[in-house]
Amino acid sequence: MEPKTHKYFSIPAKYSGSSVEDLELNIQKYGDNVVRMQLLNRVHNKQCVAQLKRFILLAGLAFTYYGFILTVGEEGSAKIQQAHMLYPGLLWLVLAFKILRTTLDLVHSEKIFYSWDMALQTETVRTFGRKSVCCVQRGHLHDIVLNEVIENLDVKYMLVLRTKGSMFKERPIIPLFNVSPSSLCKEI
């Protein structure tokens, strides 16, 4: 069967007034009991470039600050233990780590493969091709739920798996399409 492709706006893109859809959903049906869905982030490269620009700006500010401190200060007076050297350096490292972590957590695409007879498999591809795969056997699937969550005065819709059996002890709820459930969703 031909795959069906739909383009959507994410919530941040909708609120920012973007004119280009940033999410693409491909649905491929292979038979009566097998379906594959892929959600693609169409602006992943732009998001990575924006994070790289933030990092370069932060590095430029740090080098400018330290260059100014070292050239203006008296010779031999600038030591790393001094507050005007240590605190900005620690702040720069924390911000650089946050930018790097945010870049690595950007999602490029997510795939869901569901077979009624076997299992449900999710695959998330992040920045630099890092993949994470989760497979839930049919016997451990209790339900697939579209849930409404109110968070920060905004209604969010979440597609989640409810598990049963031994899988329930490890992960009672598995969010699909990289949405972390809030505490309200865990009360299902």
Side-chain angles (χ1 to χ4, degrees):
M1 196 175 242
E2 274 303 305
K4 295 180 181 175
T5 302
H6 306 280
K7 295 179 181 175
Y8 298 99
F9 290 99
S10 66
I11 292 175
K14 188 183 287 186
Y15 287 149
S16 69
S18 177
S19 61
V20 179
E21 297 92 350
D22 59 341
L23 298 176
E24 183 176 309
L25 177 67
N26 296 315
I27 301 173
Q28 175 74 46
K29 191 173 180 181
Y30 293 105
D32 292 334
N33 297 328
V34 179
V35 67
R36 183 181 144 267
M37 294 182 282
Q38 178 180 8
L39 187 64
L40 179 67
N41 181 0
R42 298 176 63 209
V43 293
H44 181 261
N45 290 339
K46 287 181 185 178
Q47 292 170 339
C48 288
V49 167
Q51 292 295 335
L52 178 64
K53 286 179 182 178
R54 286 184 184 128
F55 184 79
I56 290 172
L57 174 67
L58 185 65
L61 288 173
F63 289 130
T64 303
Y65 176 78
Y66 286 121
F68 179 75
I69 291 296
L70 294 175
T71 57
V72 171
E74 295 176 17
E75 218 167 293
S77 67
K79 295 185 177 161
I80 194 70
Q81 294 89 2
Q82 294 175 336
H84 68 277
M85 294 289 282
L86 182 64
Y87 294 142
L90 291 176
L91 179 64
W92 183 82
L93 286 175
V94 168
L95 290 175
F97 179 75
K98 175 73 174 155
I99 291 171
L100 179 65
R101 190 74 205 150
T102 303
T103 304
L104 292 176
D105 285 342
L106 289 174
V107 175
H108 182 264
S109 67
E110 294 194 72
K111 296 176 188 172
I112 296 177
F113 182 78
Y114 179 69
S115 173
W116 175 254
D117 299 332
M118 295 175 49
L120 183 134
Q121 177 179 334
T122 63
E123 177 182 313
T124 303
V125 179
R126 297 185 188 276
T127 305
F128 302 123
R130 291 183 312 132
K131 291 183 182 179
S132 59
V133 178
C134 175
C135 187
V136 180
Q137 295 175 355
R138 182 176 178 262
H140 293 287
L141 281 176
H142 176 57
D143 203 358
I144 300 175
V145 178
L146 181 61
N147 194 24
E148 293 178 355
V149 176
I150 298 176
E151 191 171 54
N152 296 331
L153 300 175
D154 195 11
V155 177
K156 296 181 180 181
Y157 296 96
M158 299 173 53
L159 188 60
V160 295
L161 295 176
R162 293 176 54 198
T163 60
K164 63 182 180 181
S166 62
M167 184 78 169
F168 180 78
K169 294 174 186 171
E170 296 173 29
R171 296 178 71 184
I173 293 177
I174 301 172
L176 300 178
F177 296 121
N178 196 38
V179 180
S180 58
S182 68
S183 59
L184 296 174
C185 180
K186 292 181 181 179
E187 299 296 325
I188 298 178

